[in-house]
């Protein structure tokens, strides 16, 4: 019987064919923790599980990215708890400034095709960009993996997305990700895995953008076939392939030839319209960054729009690279210098302003256009602030005019 | 007498506990339970009592994986959360913490905000002044974990995971 990627990967883990709905206990290849939740995970491992040592330090990766560098004494002390734990247990830790966990694990090839990668972060669906089963979990689940090596999973049904055609100029992977929210809604793939087909030509960065936002559909995982750039850069196990006999719970087709730049309106990720419907809305802050759109290609897309143009009077633009490597790429050509010449503020690689904790928290009534993945009320700061989500190209065009702008009309 | 707190659909974890009130961000002596719905529903943050029941629309708990959102409700000793559906990570987190969840499509239409209520978790019953409602049972593994008082106790007592 045919198998989806989720069934292939989980089946490989348990050594037999699995079917949607059954519970399996697996040993994840990677269990990632970041600075925001690792102090609580460590406490559960040590105090509740009574485990002096983790099950397998090689299974664990720690990344300091959420409030990095520390903004308060409390955060600094918590990060030191994580550093001490990593040193004592022999766990690999990526320091402040290295980048966002989901970007770093792909760059370092810690996450690879066919793996099960769980993380203490909902955007762990990102690892589906490299053909891994990536899924977010809470502190207790991750603590159990660290202490026992294992976790339980319900084998998900799979929703297949079939893309047809190609993006037109000015339209990007982010618009596709937002369009999926518009079509499927914020709960449209709850408990399911999503597979993305018809995108073998799409580069890795675009796949990361789309897979990161699988969770915004409620999905447990969002998995790309390990083809194209991924097949060229990663080893792909021979048992992981597009099975024509695989059975999908639902198939949704998206025609890229007709796709317009998309914008998610406050305060819901699935409250999405074509950019034309919201063009002209005044914006105070533009934020370019996050695991969804903080990579070199995103900064490059913004630089192409901003080249030779200053930011609109009274508007701030924050640029937070997804990783140090991505920042270095932007320095190696004229991307970063172009952005800086326009007047952007560059911050440390990491999660930045996405959760409203530092490096650009929004004040009362402020309007932000973000390249991130969530626009829930109060997420980036004061509950009266508003967040619009869009692509880097829309973000840069908006930064030039001060109002939401279609980059094709600039 | 405990009461019902009603919420709409798609309540996200940023509403339950904004990231700015994460335990990671709090000072010594502050407890995340004081910040449950601090901005989305400040009267809940002030007044919710042990045994109170949350009845919400579909997809409760969507968004971030932050376990401190359900944990704030657990520390508040919320008696149960009833919704037509739960977001996946919240569902796991709540079960792992031993918070009784019930998936019911009908209850949001049948009870009102502020209504006095008692919940009988063992028998899956919601009791108002006029009516006793039978709640749909959770899958066996989830009920077993909640009965054990959470996944850590379950694993320590049974020496295995549910489904193993």
């Amino acid at each position: 019987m045919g198998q989806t990627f989720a069934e292939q990967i989980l089946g490989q883990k348990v050594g037999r064919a699995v079917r949607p709905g059954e519970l399996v206990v697996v040993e994840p290849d990677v269990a990632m923790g970041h600075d925001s939740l690792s102090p609580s995970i460590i406490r559960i491992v040590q105090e509740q599980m009574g485990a002096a040592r983790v099950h397998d330090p090689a299974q664990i990766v720690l990344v300091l990215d959420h409030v990095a560098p520390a903004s308060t004494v409390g955060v600094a002390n918590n990060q030191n708890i994580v550093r001490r734990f990593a040193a004592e247990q022999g766990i690999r830790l990526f320091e402040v400034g290295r980048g966002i966990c989901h970007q770093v694990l792909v760059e370092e090839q810690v996450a690879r095709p066919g793996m099960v990668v769980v993380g203490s972060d909902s955007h762990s669906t990102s690892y589906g960009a490299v053909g891994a089963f990536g899924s977010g979990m809470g502190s207790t689940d991750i603590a159990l993996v660290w202490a026992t090596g294992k976790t339980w999973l319900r084998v998900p049904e799979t929703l297949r997305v079939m893309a047809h055609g190609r993006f037109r100029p000015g339209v990007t992977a982010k618009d596709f990700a937002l369009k999926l929210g518009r079509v499927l809604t914020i709960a449209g793939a709850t408990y399911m895995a999503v597979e993305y087909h018809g995108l073998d030509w799409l580069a890795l960065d675009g796949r990361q953008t789309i897979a990161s936002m699988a969770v915004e559909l409620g999905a447990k995982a969002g998995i790309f076939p390990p083809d194209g750039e991924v097949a060229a850069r990663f080893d792909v196990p021979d048992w992981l392939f597009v099975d024509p006999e695989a059975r999908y719970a639902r198939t949704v087709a998206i025609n890229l030839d007709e796709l317009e730049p998309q914008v998610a309106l406050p305060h819901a990720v699935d409250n999405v319209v074509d950019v034309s419907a919201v063009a002209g809305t005044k914006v105070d802050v533009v934020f370019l960054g996050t695991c969804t759109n903080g990579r070199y290609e995103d900064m490059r897309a913004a630089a192409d729009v901003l080249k030779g143009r200053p930011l609109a009077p009274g508007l701030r633009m924050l640029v937070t690279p997804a990783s140090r490597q991505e920042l270095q790429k932007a320095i190696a050509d004229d991307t970063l210098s172009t952005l800086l010449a326009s007047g952007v503020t560059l911050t440390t690689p990491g999660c930045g302003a996405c959760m409203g904790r530092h490096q650009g928290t929004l004040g009362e009534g402020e309007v932000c256009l973000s390249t991130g993945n969530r626009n829930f009320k109060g997420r980036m700061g004061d509950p009266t602030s508003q967040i619009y989500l869009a692509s880097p190209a829309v973000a840069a065009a908006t930064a030039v005019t001060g109002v939401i702008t279609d980059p094709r009309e600039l | 007498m405990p009461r019902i707190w009603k919420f709409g659909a798609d309540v996200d974890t940023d509403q339950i506990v904004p990231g700015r009130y994460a335990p990671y961000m709090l000072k010594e002596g502050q407890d995340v339970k004081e910040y449950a719905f601090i901005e989305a529903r400040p009267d809940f943050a002030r007044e919710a009592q042990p045994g109170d029941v949350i009845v919400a629309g579909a997809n409760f708990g969507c968004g971030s994986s932050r376990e401190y959102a359900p944990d704030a409700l657990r520390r508040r000793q919320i008696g149960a959360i009833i919704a037509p559906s739960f977001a996946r990570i919240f569902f796991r987190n709540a079960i792992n913490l031993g918070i009784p969840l019930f998936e019911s499509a009908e209850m949001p239409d049948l009870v009102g905000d502020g209504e006095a209520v008692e919940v009988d978790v063992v028998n899956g019953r919601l009791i108002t002044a006029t009516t006793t409602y039978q709640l749909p049972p959770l899958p066996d593994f989830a009920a077993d974990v909640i009965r054990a008082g959470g996944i850590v106790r379950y694993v320590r007592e049974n020496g295995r995971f549910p489904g193993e």
Side-chain angles (χ1 to χ4, degrees), chain A residues 277-295:
Chain A
V278 72
T281 305
K282 190 177 177 304
V283 168
D284 301 301
V285 186
V286 169
F287 171 49
L288 190 149
T290 79
C291 50
T292 296
N293 276 125
R295 281 169 283 277

Side-chain angles (χ1 to χ4, degrees), chain A residues 7 18 36 51 75 162 205 209 309 331 349 396:
Chain A
E7 290 158 16
V18 297
S36 180
V75 168
M162 290 294 302
D205 69 288
T209 299
R309 294 169 162 142
I331 291 171

Side-chain angles (χ1 to χ4, degrees), chain A residues 23 25 35-37 48-50 67 75 78-79 120-122 135-141 144 148 150-153 186-187 190-191 220 356-357 374 376 378-379 381 383, chain B residues 10 12 14-15 18-20 22-26 39 59 62-68 85-89 91-93 96-97 103 141 151-152 155-156 161-164:
Chain A
L23 287 187
V25 174
D35 53 320
S36 180
L37 293 174
Q48 294 184 31
M49 294 300 293
V67 186
V75 168
N78 272 314
Q79 290 184 352
S120 72
D121 189 281
S122 60
S135 201
M137 293 181 171
S139 301
T140 299
D141 272 321
L144 281 165
T148 69
K150 293 184 285 193
T151 193
W152 65 271
L153 290 167
I186 192 169
T190 298
Y191 307 133
K220 176 181 248 171
R357 298 177 187 178
R374 288 203 175 120
F376 299 136
R379 177 167 175 89
Chain B
D10 300 324
D12 59 77
D14 277 275
Q15 288 182 55
R20 286 165 287 118
Y24 179 57
M25 305 291 289
L26 297 178
E39 289 168 352
N59 197 33
C62 60
S64 149
S65 68
R66 60 188 67 161
E67 192 167 286
Y68 53 83
S85 62
F86 293 88
R88 181 198 142 251
I89 301 176
F91 187 77
R92 278 188 86 104
N93 285 345
N96 283 344
L97 293 173
E103 288 187 318
F141 76 91
I151 189 78
V152 170
V155 170
R156 295 197 73 168
F161 282 82
E164 192 171 23

Side-chain angles (χ1 to χ4, degrees), chain B residues 103-141:
Chain B
E103 288 187 318
S104 165
E106 295 82 27
M107 287 314 298
D109 296 328
L110 298 174
V111 296
D113 191 56
E115 200 170 328
V117 73
E118 278 186 85
V119 63
D120 172 356
V121 171
V122 174
N123 298 302
R125 284 197 296 231
L126 190 75
I127 305 145
T128 67
T130 56
T131 313
T132 295
Y133 299 99
Q134 191 67 43
L135 301 167
L138 279 175
D140 287 344
F141 76 91

Side-chain angles (χ1 to χ4, degrees), chain A residues 14 23 25 56 73 90 97 103 116 154 157 164 183 214 221 256 259 278 355:
Chain A
V14 298
L23 287 187
V25 174
D56 178 9
V73 172
Q103 181 62 24
V116 173
R154 180 185 164 282
E157 292 79 16
H164 300 285
V183 171
L256 303 183
L259 185 62
V278 72
M355 288 85 62

Side-chain angles (χ1 to χ4, degrees), chain A residues 120-146:
Chain A
S120 72
D121 189 281
S122 60
H123 293 112
S124 299
T125 54
S126 298
Y127 308 120
V130 296
F133 184 96
S135 201
M137 293 181 171
S139 301
T140 299
D141 272 321
I142 298 297
L144 281 165
V145 181
W146 291 6

